[in-house]
Amino acid sequence: MQAVQFAAHGDRDVIEYGEFPDPEPDRGEVRLDVKAGALNHLDVFTREGMPILDLDFPHIPGSDAAGVVESVGADVARFEPGDRVAVTAGISCGECEFCRHGEHSLCVNYHLLGEHVRGVHSELAAVPAENLVPVPEGVSWETAAAAPLVFQTAWRMLLTRGELSSDESVLVLGASGGVGHAAVQIADHVGAEVYATASTDEKLDYARECGADHAIDYESEEFATEIRELTDRRGVDMVVDHVGAATWRDSLKSLAKGGRVVTCGATTGGRPETDLNRIFWNQLSVIGSTMASLGEVDDVLEKVWDGTFEPRIRETLPMSEAARAHEMLEEREGFGKVVVVPDGEL
Ligand SMILES: [Zn+2]
């Protein structure tokens, strides 16, 4: 098969698209004929290398994909060849105390397809059946591939971990990114007052289209100051921050007394200067969130399949142009998700 792959960590020029042995489905796995994959910032970080990673090179990146079940390994009862499915990347052991409570993303052995083990940006992929969600006819491959990682992340952040309610206000940072645009849609669906930041007029307009009541240009004004003005100095009940070091102080400054900041990532760095005085005096909560449980994945994807939520497709590229796809994420070009499809499928 053909696969996006790299034999060492590094810049975008380590990415190749070429021959790779066909994967065989193990017990409990299916082999997927991949129709589309989508990128996440995680793909860039994995390619660059992180201290926790010890990859088996060549590594195939990619945590999001959708396609057709081509064959099934032993002990797979949920799927048969021909089924349309989307991949959810989180792999949990099913046996630890957290898995037994249905908290799969707290699993003590939690790891992600594409990050810790080979991913799905390839013509074929062997994936645990547990990691597949049925995709109805009528849902495009691009949509099915683009939704799982960011929508489950935003869903758990806002609802399970953040417990956002309809009489509250929420600020979503970086509304033009994958998690950001999912978070705006979910917050709007809940009925909360939604504030969003983005950097260009086009991105601000799209944040409003996604459901933001107020869109703030973070390039031209300090968003914490703007939030104070827009809320009569009160601040918001919740901030959704996946940006990290660059925004952390302003995220805390944007919160109302008793407010909470939910973090699921730190694309600009994970060790920000923080302000403990502000945290204790204003009685703020700092809440972490990662991916979602399998049940949460089912719940949120149901709402993507029925059109309640819609992943915006920024661009669709052949997998042979995966390096260009990585560049679009690194340069923060455009809005929403970058999709890659096997060259033969274009
Ligand atoms: Zn577990």
Side-chain angles (χ1 to χ4, degrees):
M1 68 165 177
Q2 300 288 302
V4 179
Q5 54 193 292
F6 48 86
H9 292 298
D11 208 345
R12 290 190 292 273
D13 56 15
V14 300
I15 300 171
E16 291 175 33
Y17 184 61
E19 242 344 285
F20 196 95
D22 289 359
E24 289 303 325
D26 219 333
R27 179 177 293 271
E29 291 187 339
V30 312
R31 185 158 87 175
L32 200 60
D33 178 6
V34 175
K35 298 296 185 185
L39 278 92
N40 296 286
H41 274 281
L42 183 59
D43 297 306
V44 174
F45 296 137
T46 303
R47 191 202 74 222
E48 290 173 340
M50 294 180 274
I52 53 151
L53 289 181
D54 180 20
L55 300 182
D56 195 7
F57 289 117
H59 181 72
I60 298 176
S63 301
D64 272 327
V68 175
V69 174
E70 189 218 40
S71 60
V72 301
D75 296 335
V76 173
R78 277 178 71 217
F79 297 101
E80 54 187 47
D83 286 349
R84 293 163 52 92
V85 293
V87 174
T88 178
I91 297 180
S92 47
C93 76
E95 293 172 357
C96 72
E97 61 171 304
F98 301 102
C99 283
R100 288 181 60 82
H101 284 92
E103 289 287 3
H104 304 104
S105 65
L106 284 173
C107 175
V108 296
N109 291 312
Y110 199 60
H111 57 285
L112 300 183
L113 286 167
E115 181 183 14
H116 309 88
V117 295
R118 285 193 183 115
V120 290
H121 289 171
S122 46
E123 288 181 320
L124 299 169
V127 178
E130 205 170 70
N131 286 68
L132 299 178
V133 178
V135 177
E137 293 286 344
V139 175
S140 75
W141 293 123
E142 290 174 315
T143 294
L149 192 144
V150 295
F151 274 89
Q152 69 178 280
T153 299
W155 181 264
R156 182 171 173 86
M157 277 181 99
L158 270 69
L159 304 185
T160 312
R161 300 289 292 141
E163 298 181 26
L164 183 67
S165 64
S166 61
D167 58 355
E168 291 188 305
S169 53
V170 56
L171 167 63
V172 177
L173 302 184
S176 63
V179 170
H181 89 308
V184 169
Q185 293 181 51
I186 293 167
D188 179 52
H189 181 69
V190 166
E193 183 84 0
V194 185
Y195 300 79
T197 67
S199 61
T200 65
D201 286 345
E202 194 194 355
K203 290 176 179 177
L204 292 164
D205 282 345
Y206 191 69
R208 288 187 199 96
E209 268 177 55
C210 282
D213 302 292
H214 314 271
I216 299 165
D217 184 345
Y218 66 78
E219 301 265 355
S220 70
E221 53 210 331
E222 210 170 70
F223 69 80
T225 308
E226 185 69 9
I227 286 290
R228 289 286 157 192
E229 277 170 25
L230 289 168
T231 60
D232 240 353
R233 304 210 55 75
R234 178 185 181 274
V236 293
D237 297 299
M238 184 195 291
V239 174
V240 173
D241 191 336
H242 52 91
V243 183
T247 52
W248 190 251
R249 280 183 73 95
D250 271 4
S251 288
L252 296 180
K253 282 166 76 175
S254 301
L255 287 171
K257 290 212 165 204
R260 53 219 191 270
V261 56
V262 193
T263 169
C264 70
T267 48
T268 59
R271 294 177 181 274
E273 209 177 294
T274 195
D275 185 348
L276 292 176
N277 298 310
R278 185 179 290 278
I279 291 175
F280 70 71
W281 188 253
N282 289 340
Q283 304 190 46
L284 307 179
S285 299
V286 174
I287 299 172
S289 193
T290 288
M291 300 290 284
S293 71
L294 293 170
E296 288 165 339
V297 173
D298 287 349
D299 289 346
V300 70
L301 290 183
E302 192 61 43
K303 292 197 181 317
V304 175
W305 305 160
D306 75 12
T308 305
F309 303 137
E310 186 186 355
R312 157 96 163 208
I313 309 300
R314 195 185 314 194
E315 185 144 343
T316 300
L317 296 166
M319 284 189 181
S320 58
E321 292 179 31
R324 168 71 188 128
H326 279 231
E327 183 181 18
M328 291 188 75
L329 266 74
E330 289 174 71
E331 300 302 322
R332 296 187 302 123
E333 295 172 29
F335 197 107
K337 302 292 292 176
V338 178
V339 169
V340 287
V341 299
D343 283 43
E345 300 285 343
L346 264 189

